[in-house]
Amino acid sequence: MSETSELAAETLHLQRTARVVGDPRILIIDDEAAIRESLDTLLTLEGFTVSAASDGPSGLELLSRNEYDLLLLDLALPGESGLDLLPRIVEMQPNLPVIMITAYGTVGNVVDAIRAGAENFVQKPWDNEKLLADIRAAVARHRAEEEVVQLKRTLKQRYNFENIVGKSEPMLRLFDLIAQVAPSRSTVLIQGESGTGKELIAKAIHANSPRRDRPFVPVNTGAVPSELLESTLFGHVKGAFTSAVTAKKGLFEVANGGTLFLDEIGTMGMDMQAKILRVLQDRRFMHLGGVQEIQVDVRIIAATNVNLQDAVRAGRFREDLFYRLNVISLELPPLRSRREDIPLLAAHFLKFYAEENGTETRSLSPEAMRIIMDYEWPGNVRELENAMERGVVLSTSRSINPDLLPTQLTGSTYSASLLDHQPNASLFDLMEEIERRIISDRLERCHWNQTEAAEYFKIPLSTLNQKIKRLSVEVKKRTRD
């Protein structure tokens, strides 16, 4: 890369970093001065930094020199129309959200704009609050995606942590610890709840160690039947047991020179614990049924979702093995204790599964984002990943609404809120309030169309009307036909 190209790339990187942490930047391309001034005033009052252009060429010039969080693009521009410009805009800044604005909205225009890469379509005259809500949602999604890109770039440059996403204080401390322990050959014990990403951390340690070009061999010791675990780890000679018709190497030999990751080590039986202890002490073992010792150079990284010290006190885990494993201990925080990472992780998974399924990148609606931020995530990052994959697969638009989230997320929102605000209510009262909130929520989503809501609930309209009356659900005037 030439010095000029490097300087340009660094300038663009600094622009993007500054944009992610500074005020959101919005570009307006519209030929009407009154429209530009009106939008400029509205958005500036909301804290946005606004640039404006009166035609396509000057707008493209601004895009070539600056990074933006959102583009408001007029459909009917002099010369090339907004639709004509859109493919070039997408080529210049592929992830830039574009909201088309026009006084001549038709179904055909909407379809063409969305197909060409537009985020949304707004018709003049617009409703300020709705437009601002659409802009905030698009900017929030774009910024989350940009943060993921910047974070991955930084982590990859520093540590090669491509698949670990997090900017919270606990994760930043963890990244620094990984960088410190990776170059050594010491045994590492990773502790954390299920779904926190223990194997990803183990892979990051291996990838940043001198063993990076040698094998990384993972084995879930809790998933291998106890009678097969010894053969799996140490191998066997021919005839060692009935089905051993040939000799077979074990995973310790496969990992020689590299790293062996023993996941869920807390489930391992006492006999196998003794054999693992000997390998850690002597770096030697024998095949099952064999008599010759084999020496290996393997770094052990172990992981567990149970408290090994409690297991030692209960007599389920050898104390000497615990101390051998616990040379360097890394504690993975549960997702509920690093909530600032949730939007980043959600954006990362939405983008990943959109690419995997060949669809457009999805974004969470503001209400869906509130729900995932309030949820406790007992399944941690793995549960969040599954929820985002579900949303991508089931969504028919770019926005994922609460009805596409798993029921345990939306249900917990109602129940947690009720228990907080009505701690002394009876079960009957709580159930009535949950039903009232669910019906009210669905009516609002259906724009107060009771027939549509009844069809969603799969109940007769008369039954829904009876529930509305009995539960005193406030019904507003329908906002659409």
Side-chain angles (χ1 to χ4, degrees):
M1 183 183 289
S2 69
E3 186 175 339
T4 303
S5 299
E6 287 182 357
L7 180 60
E10 181 62 22
T11 301
L12 184 61
H13 170 66
L14 290 172
Q15 278 188 351
R16 285 178 171 162
T17 303
R19 180 168 49 78
V20 168
V21 299
D23 290 337
R25 299 187 63 188
I26 295 181
L27 174 62
I28 303 165
I29 305 179
D30 196 298
D31 62 323
E32 295 184 54
I35 294 294
R36 294 196 303 274
E37 291 171 8
S38 174
L39 286 170
D40 190 327
T41 301
L42 175 67
L43 296 170
T44 301
L45 288 172
E46 290 295 315
F48 296 102
T49 299
V50 181
S51 301
S54 59
D55 54 40
S58 56
L60 292 176
E61 173 64 20
L62 285 171
L63 279 170
S64 69
R65 292 187 284 107
N66 302 284
E67 289 279 329
Y68 294 95
D69 291 287
L70 184 130
L71 169 61
L72 293 169
L73 177 63
D74 187 21
L75 180 66
L77 291 170
E80 289 183 284
S81 71
L83 277 177
D84 293 332
L85 289 173
L86 200 50
R88 293 162 66 187
I89 291 167
V90 171
E91 184 177 350
M92 292 172 72
Q93 294 191 28
N95 298 319
L96 178 67
V98 179
I99 295 180
M100 303 291 293
I101 300 180
T102 182
Y104 311 102
T106 66
V107 173
N109 287 338
V110 172
V111 172
D112 290 343
I114 297 300
R115 283 178 176 171
E119 171 92 8
N120 207 340
F121 204 97
V122 176
Q123 192 164 354
K124 303 174 186 177
W126 56 80
D127 176 87
N128 282 348
E129 287 306 313
K130 184 179 185 309
L131 178 60
L132 286 172
D134 290 342
I135 288 172
R136 290 189 197 103
V139 167
R141 175 186 63 78
H142 186 237
R143 287 207 148 195
E145 291 175 353
E146 284 293 303
E147 281 195 77
V148 169
V149 171
Q150 298 301 329
L151 189 64
K152 283 187 173 183
R153 181 182 291 116
T154 301
L155 292 176
K156 187 174 181 180
Q157 288 171 351
R158 286 181 66 191
Y159 307 129
N160 194 30
F161 296 170
E162 289 189 76
N163 296 311
I164 307 172
V165 176
K167 64 173 184 176
S168 61
E169 189 60 35
M171 291 304 291
L172 294 178
R173 286 198 302 269
L174 183 63
F175 292 146
D176 287 336
L177 277 172
I178 293 171
Q180 283 183 272
V181 306
S184 74
R185 61 177 296 163
S186 299
T187 302
V188 178
L189 177 63
I190 304 173
Q191 301 183 84
E193 295 179 6
S194 293
T196 48
K198 294 185 286 293
E199 185 170 344
L200 280 179
I201 299 300
K203 286 179 177 178
I205 293 170
H206 174 77
N208 288 274
S209 76
R211 300 169 181 264
R212 66 177 66 89
D213 296 323
R214 303 296 296 167
F216 174 85
V217 181
V219 55
N220 186 329
T221 60
V224 180
S226 56
E227 63 272 15
L228 297 179
L229 186 57
E230 182 176 358
S231 172
T232 299
L233 292 175
F234 302 123
H236 59 257
V237 299
K238 181 179 179 181
F241 46 88
T242 306
S243 58
V245 294
T246 61
K248 180 184 176 183
K249 285 185 177 181
L251 295 183
F252 270 97
E253 286 174 275
V254 174
N256 193 27
T259 303
L260 181 63
F261 175 55
L262 299 175
D263 198 7
E264 303 304 346
I265 198 166
T267 63
M268 189 179 288
M270 298 294 279
D271 289 345
M272 184 55 63
Q273 290 177 34
K275 293 180 172 65
I276 295 293
L277 177 63
R278 182 167 185 266
V279 180
L280 285 172
Q281 290 173 333
D282 303 334
R283 306 286 171 178
R284 296 174 183 273
F285 67 93
M286 287 190 291
H287 287 150
L288 183 61
V291 294
Q292 184 177 356
E293 284 194 328
I294 300 166
Q295 186 164 0
V296 288
D297 173 23
V298 175
R299 183 183 194 174
I300 300 293
I301 301 178
T304 179
N305 62 3
V306 300
N307 188 312
L308 289 187
Q309 287 179 302
D310 289 345
V312 168
R313 284 190 287 267
R316 297 191 306 272
F317 202 84
R318 293 180 63 111
E319 185 175 22
D320 47 5
L321 178 57
F322 170 71
Y323 288 120
R324 277 284 179 181
L325 293 172
N326 198 38
V327 176
I328 297 171
S329 180
L330 300 180
E331 188 75 34
L332 267 64
L335 188 54
R336 61 184 173 275
S337 70
R338 54 183 186 107
R339 293 186 184 275
E340 59 265 54
D341 292 335
I342 292 175
L344 285 177
L345 286 161
H348 167 72
F349 292 132
L350 290 173
K351 187 173 187 296
F352 176 82
Y353 285 107
E355 291 174 354
E356 188 172 82
N357 289 279
T359 61
E360 291 181 292
T361 300
R362 311 303 195 202
S363 62
L364 294 168
S365 70
E367 178 64 14
M369 180 62 76
R370 185 186 68 78
I371 288 172
I372 72 166
M373 290 299 292
D374 289 343
Y375 185 58
E376 287 300 299
W377 298 108
N380 292 295
V381 178
R382 186 184 297 123
E383 186 181 8
L384 175 61
E385 179 179 1
N386 292 341
M388 295 304 98
E389 181 181 9
R390 169 193 167 94
V392 169
V393 171
L394 297 181
S395 176
T396 56
S397 66
R398 293 190 69 172
S399 181
I400 294 175
N401 293 314
D403 55 350
L404 294 182
L405 297 175
T407 54
Q408 69 266 25
L409 272 69
T410 51
S412 70
T413 301
Y414 293 118
S415 59
S417 175
L418 285 171
L419 291 173
D420 287 342
H421 293 93
Q422 300 185 39
N424 299 317
S426 68
L427 179 61
F428 178 79
D429 291 337
L430 289 172
M431 295 304 294
E432 277 206 338
E433 181 60 23
I434 289 174
E435 190 174 13
R436 182 182 297 111
R437 292 190 184 194
I438 290 172
I439 291 173
S440 179
D441 180 68
R442 178 47 52 183
L443 284 169
E444 185 175 359
R445 294 177 194 280
C446 296
H447 301 270
W448 309 101
N449 185 322
Q450 295 177 40
T451 301
E452 187 177 332
E455 290 174 354
Y456 175 85
F457 289 128
K458 297 181 176 60
I459 60 174
L461 179 59
S462 59
T463 302
L464 178 61
N465 286 330
Q466 289 170 10
K467 288 179 177 291
I468 289 172
K469 185 176 180 180
R470 176 174 61 83
L471 297 168
S472 300
V473 176
E474 182 184 1
V475 179
K476 298 182 181 178
K477 185 178 179 180
R478 282 170 58 176
T479 55
R480 75 176 187 196
D481 293 325

